[in-house]
């Protein structure tokens, strides 16, 4: 095909002008920033690197702190706030900064907008169970619209920490155990928060956190050490952070923990060398809350000044809450323990963010009272929350196809205090979420079946989950008038989140006993799980016929659960993390190594337990629906490929059930032989598709050269010639396979 050369010239001019425009913007911005820095005193520079949490309330202490911080803003020694929100207050503080300070540098207002601001969405682990990055991106976009309407510029999200230990309370905030799924969710959330144009005025600076390996806390105890091979660090824990950089994330946050003996807030290698130099990240890294001070507790800094020097030189640009940079480092700069170059570089990173948001042009652009009133908890936002919540639900068991329930049912008894609880659905890190905004499970069921008798028994107390003494009698009395029991079990919101680690992840309290009581009635029984982490379910998994993982789904919890229970939505969620049988199996994850003695039934001397099977209760990627799907073996387009080639793999899918529905077709890869032991499989692609009943489709996956690579003993990221097995299926265990060969 002859291409018109004029077209080529035009396209080249278009591209160069775009680059030039971007360069022109940078040149203009850089000139403003250089000029500002040249005028700033050391204290003003260190002030830009200070972020303090606002002190709300009208107590004498709060009033004194507020007065002090306003004075510091005026002096130019405080550059950003954590926890300030609302147009009135943000406007008041911004006015002091841009009208009363010497250099009139605008402030940044940051907040943890993790899964919604006022419209609360499912906790991030639940959102990851949707395996629908587009939908998760919509969730982040709604959160950004609402939070920016409240004057907030910067969210400390997405949390992209991989976790293989569900005892760790913060597993609820991430996307589970897998780097590929975690990278897809990180990308979607960064783009959702930051939008297509960061200067649009309804965009939040995103923050990839917590850099890094925070989820590998030993024993699942928050803040504990992370100690691992560099191959595991680079191959498992770092990819979602790299994905966030590739998605254009503007900021990072350091992790509290050490990695292999070096606390992250003093980790020059991982921050300056890997994040900035190797990955080319040009944004800013903020410390976690008082983490700079904590370097003394780690035992690698003798004084606050030493801690500050270590952190700033390691690439920690902003000191959140320790106030060491602003309070202790002026002399360190004079003594050149922190060079002017390092200091100016950190200040420039802060000023660039303020410039990118357009705050130098219009410092009040995020402070609009009308927006604040109109954009919060709208019906449109609730609908998005309901869509995300429905797709996050994972059907774990549905013996005899009891679900979906018919809407003609006349008598349902709902059991369990969580069913009526409007707190738990908000989960951890609930922004400005309010309990009164929540549709509880009980409300959702009642709304779905207005003509039915919906009985309710709290059955246990919260948060102990101790059964009522007379619950057996009460349940027995309700049997004659009950067609179906719906039992809600799980955790309270406070059992996951920061520092909320559990030494055992079985159902808390006496919930297993309660399930037995209900089972013994002989009536149809549906168990709904409301929890923020994977649970060890061996006690109920075998005996209970129907189990639905409902997580903490946010304000639309009750509607989403009812949509699935009564068939208005065909569940499509898949587990983003393995569910063990018992706590003692932890760590247990799908992409494990084979070892020299992989477990088999008929050989005692293998890697397994005496008292439980070695397999999980429910594997990564697992989830049922009301339909059934036939997924073919993967068909690679060729048997042999060369280094640097990509390879197209086809999979044929048929909806063999009677319901229209979605299926998440997953593709895994096994490098059969390589110089660093390979995992038995790793997720390399997935596609969530909708098929009508009886419909079939062939879908193509592209395996990229990078999917075949790993970090060798010298940390080179490379592939090696040899055979690869490809697996296709609807979870990480029930798979069909084929092979291809990589030759040099
Ligand atoms: C907390 C969390 C971090 C959060 C920060 C500010 O300690 O570790 O995720 O963004 O403090 O609230």
């Amino acid at each position: 095909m002859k291409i018109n050369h004029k077209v080529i010239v035009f396209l080249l001019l278009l591209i160069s002008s775009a680059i030039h425009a971007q360069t022109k913007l940078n040149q203009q911005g850089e000139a403003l920033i250089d000029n500002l820095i040249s005028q700033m005193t050391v204290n003003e520079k260190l002030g830009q690197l200070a972020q303090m949490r606002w002190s709300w309330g009208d107590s004498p202490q709060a009033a004194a702190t507020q007065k002090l911080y306003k004075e510091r803003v005026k002096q130019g020694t405080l550059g950003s706030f954590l926890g300030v929100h609302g147009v009135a207050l943000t406007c008041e503080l911004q006015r002091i900064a841009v009208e009363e300070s010497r250099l009139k540098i605008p402030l940044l207002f940051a907040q943890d907008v993790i899964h919604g601001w006022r419209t609360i969405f499912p906790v991030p682990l639940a959102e990851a169970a949707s395996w629908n990055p587009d939908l998760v991106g919509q969730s982040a976009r709604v959160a950004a619209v609402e939070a920016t309407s409240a004057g907030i510029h910067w969210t400390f999200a997405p949390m992209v920490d991989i976790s293989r230990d569900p005892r760790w309370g913060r597993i609820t905030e991430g996307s589970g155990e897998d780097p590929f799924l975690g990278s897809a969710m990180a990308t979607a959330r960064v783009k959702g928060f930051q939008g297509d144009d960061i200067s649009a005025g309804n965009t939040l600076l995103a923050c990839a956190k917590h850099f890094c390996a925070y989820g590998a806390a030993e024993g699942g105890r928050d803040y504990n050490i992370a100690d691992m091979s560099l191959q595991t660090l680079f191959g498992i824990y770092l990819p979602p952070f790299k994905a966030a950089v590739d998605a254009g994330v503007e900021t990072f946050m350091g992790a509290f923990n050490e990695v292999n003996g070096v606390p992250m807030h003093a980790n020059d290698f991982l921050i300056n060398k890997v994040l900035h130099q190797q990955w080319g990240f040009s944004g800013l890294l903020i410390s976690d809350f008082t983490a700079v001070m904590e370097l003394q507790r780690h035992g690698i800094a003798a004084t606050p000044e030493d801690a500050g020097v270590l952190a700033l030189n390691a690439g920690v640009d902003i000191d959140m809450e320790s106030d060491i940079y602003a309070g202790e480092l002026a002399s360190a700069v004079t003594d050149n323990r922190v060079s002017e170059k390092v200091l100016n570089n950190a200040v420039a990173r802060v000023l660039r963010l303020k410039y990118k948001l357009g705050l130098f042009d219009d410092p009040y652009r995020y402070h609009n009272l009308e927006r604040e009133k109109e954009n919060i908890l709208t019906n449109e936002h609730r609908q998005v929350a309901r869509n995300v919540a429905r797709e996050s639900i994972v059907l774990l068991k549905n013996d005899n196809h009891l679900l979906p329930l018919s809407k003609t049912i006349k008598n349902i008894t709902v059991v369990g205090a969580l069913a009526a609880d409007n707190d738990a659905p908000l989960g951890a890190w609930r922004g400005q979420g309010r309990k009164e905004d929540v549709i509880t499970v009980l409300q959702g069921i009642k709304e779905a079946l207005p003509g039915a008798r919906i009985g309710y028994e709290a059955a246990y107390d919260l948060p102990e989950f101790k059964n009522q003494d007379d619950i057996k009698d009460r349940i027995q009395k309700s049997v004659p008038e009950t067609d179906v029991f719906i039992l809600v079990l799980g955790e309270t919101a406070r059992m996951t989140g920061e520092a909320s680690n559990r030494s055992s992840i079985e159902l808390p309290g006496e919930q297993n006993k309660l399930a037995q009581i209900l089972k013994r009635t002989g009536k149809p029984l549906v168990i709904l799980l409301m929890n923020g982490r994977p649970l060890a379910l061996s006690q109920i998994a075998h005996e209970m016929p129907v189990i639905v993982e409902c997580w903490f789904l946010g304000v639309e919890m009750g509607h989403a659960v009812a949509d699935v229970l009564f068939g208005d939505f065909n569940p499509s969620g898949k587990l983003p993390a393995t569910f063990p049988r018992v706590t003692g199996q932890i760590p247990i994850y799908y992409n494990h190594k084979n070892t020299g003695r992989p477990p088999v039934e008929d050989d005692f001397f293998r890697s397994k337990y005496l008292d439980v099977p070695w397999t999980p209760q429910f594997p990564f990627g697992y989830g049922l629906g009301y339909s059934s799907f036939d997924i073919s073996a993967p068909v690679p387009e060729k048997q042999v490929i060369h280094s640097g080639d990509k390879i197209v793999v086809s999979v044929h899918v048929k909806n063999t059930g009677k319901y229209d529905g979605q299926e998440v077709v997953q593709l895994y890869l096994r490098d059969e032989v390589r110089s660093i032991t390979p995992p038995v499989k790793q997720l390399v692609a997935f596609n969530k598709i909708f098929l009508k009943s009886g419909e079939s489709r062939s879908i193509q996956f592209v395996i990229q050269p990078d999917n075949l690579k790993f970090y060798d003993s010298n940390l080179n990221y490379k592939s090696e010639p040899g055979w690869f097995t490809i697996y296709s299926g609807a979870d990480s265990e029930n798979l069909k396979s084929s092979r291809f060969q990589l030759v040099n």
Side-chain angles (χ1 to χ4, degrees), residues 164-412:
R164 293 170 153 178
D165 189 332
R167 292 172 295 179
W168 187 53
R170 301 196 77 167
I171 193 172
T172 197
E173 286 176 65
S175 298
E177 71 188 46
D178 178 68
F180 188 88
L181 180 64
S183 298
M185 293 300 160
T187 301
R189 288 181 172 128
V190 167
K191 292 180 183 290
F193 287 130
Q194 295 188 166
D196 300 328
D197 170 8
I198 195 70
S199 67
N202 64 355
T203 60
L204 282 175
L205 297 168
C207 180
K209 72 182 187 182
H210 306 74
F211 190 68
C212 60
Y214 184 37
E218 198 167 85
R221 286 203 334 270
D222 209 354
Y223 320 118
N224 203 0
I225 68 166
D227 209 282
M228 66 184 74
S229 73
L230 290 179
Q231 283 73 24
T232 300
L233 178 67
F234 277 76
I236 299 294
Y237 291 89
L238 288 186
F241 288 101
K242 178 64 170 58
V245 171
D246 295 343
V249 74
E250 294 287 353
T251 70
F252 263 57
M253 181 184 290
F256 284 116
N257 52 284
E258 70 167 62
V259 175
N260 300 343
V262 181
M264 277 312 303
H265 284 76
N267 206 309
D268 171 68
F269 166 65
L270 286 169
I271 299 173
N272 284 330
K273 304 291 183 298
V274 175
L275 176 60
H276 286 301
Q277 291 169 25
Q278 229 176 73
W279 292 358
F281 176 63
S282 58
L284 162 151
L285 184 139
I286 184 171
S287 83
D288 205 335
F289 198 86
T290 70
V292 172
M293 174 278 291
E294 293 171 22
L295 291 176
Q296 299 167 85
R297 295 177 184 162
H298 279 282
I300 66 159
T303 65
E305 181 180 317
D306 288 353
V309 166
L310 270 175
L312 191 47
N313 283 329
V316 178
D317 301 303
I318 291 184
D319 164 15
M320 183 201 294
E321 195 65 16
S322 301
D323 217 11
I324 288 175
Y325 286 12
E328 306 279 344
L329 287 196
S331 53
V333 176
T334 311
D335 302 345
N336 202 30
R337 296 186 68 198
V338 173
S339 69
E340 186 102 35
K341 182 170 182 290
V342 164
L343 177 61
N344 290 350
N345 198 17
V347 174
R349 286 173 177 158
V350 177
L351 297 180
R352 281 193 197 102
L353 294 181
K354 299 181 176 184
Y355 183 85
K356 283 185 173 183
L357 289 179
L359 299 181
F360 283 104
D361 292 336
D362 174 7
Y364 302 108
R365 63 199 311 251
Y366 279 69
H367 314 315
N368 177 317
L369 283 168
E370 282 64 50
R371 265 184 64 189
E372 187 171 38
K373 288 194 200 83
E374 288 155 18
N375 287 347
I376 302 290
L377 200 66
T378 64
N379 289 336
E380 182 200 5
H381 290 174
R382 272 193 174 273
Q383 187 54 55
V384 177
R386 184 169 184 164
N387 296 342
V388 178
R390 301 195 310 189
E391 290 212 25
S392 301
I393 292 172
V394 184
L395 180 58
L396 297 175
K397 285 189 75 177
N398 190 23
D399 291 358
N400 309 315
H401 302 291
L402 177 67
L403 294 183
L405 298 173
S406 162
K407 288 188 176 180
T408 60
I409 285 182
K410 289 295 172 231
N411 293 293
I412 292 178

Side-chain angles (χ1 to χ4, degrees), residues 393-406 409 411-416 418-419 441 445 449 455 457 460 475 482-490 507 511 514-530 540 543-550 560-567 571 626:
I393 292 172
V394 184
L395 180 58
L396 297 175
K397 285 189 75 177
N398 190 23
D399 291 358
N400 309 315
H401 302 291
L402 177 67
L403 294 183
L405 298 173
S406 162
I409 285 182
N411 293 293
I412 292 178
T413 299
V414 178
V415 181
L418 282 175
V441 167
I445 292 170
L449 266 58
E457 286 291 345
Y460 51 74
I475 293 299
T482 297
D483 300 329
V484 178
F485 280 108
I486 295 177
L487 172 59
V488 184
L489 304 173
L507 282 168
Q511 298 182 76
L514 179 60
Q516 294 300 334
I517 293 168
L518 270 293
K519 182 83 169 46
R520 280 197 287 273
T521 67
K523 287 282 182 161
L525 171 61
V526 176
I527 288 185
L528 304 180
L529 297 175
M530 197 187 289
I540 62 168
E543 297 169 35
M544 300 302 148
V546 181
I547 304 175
V548 190
E549 177 53 79
C550 301
V561 169
D563 290 343
V564 167
L565 282 178
F566 303 106
Y626 297 148

Side-chain angles (χ1 to χ4, degrees), residues 568-627:
D568 290 326
F569 185 80
N570 184 349
S572 60
K574 301 283 181 176
L575 295 181
T578 301
F579 275 44
R581 297 171 188 275
V582 294
T583 301
Q585 285 183 295
I586 295 170
I588 181 170
Y589 45 90
Y590 87 92
N591 49 355
H592 59 80
K593 299 298 185 78
N594 201 37
T595 78
R597 295 200 173 192
V600 292
E601 285 301 347
D602 55 0
D603 184 342
F604 181 79
F605 297 97
R606 292 300 183 105
S607 179
K608 55 188 177 178
Y609 300 101
L610 291 174
D611 51 349
V612 293
W614 67 86
T615 53
Q617 192 67 59
F618 298 109
F620 172 80
Y622 174 83
L624 303 174
Y626 297 148
S627 311

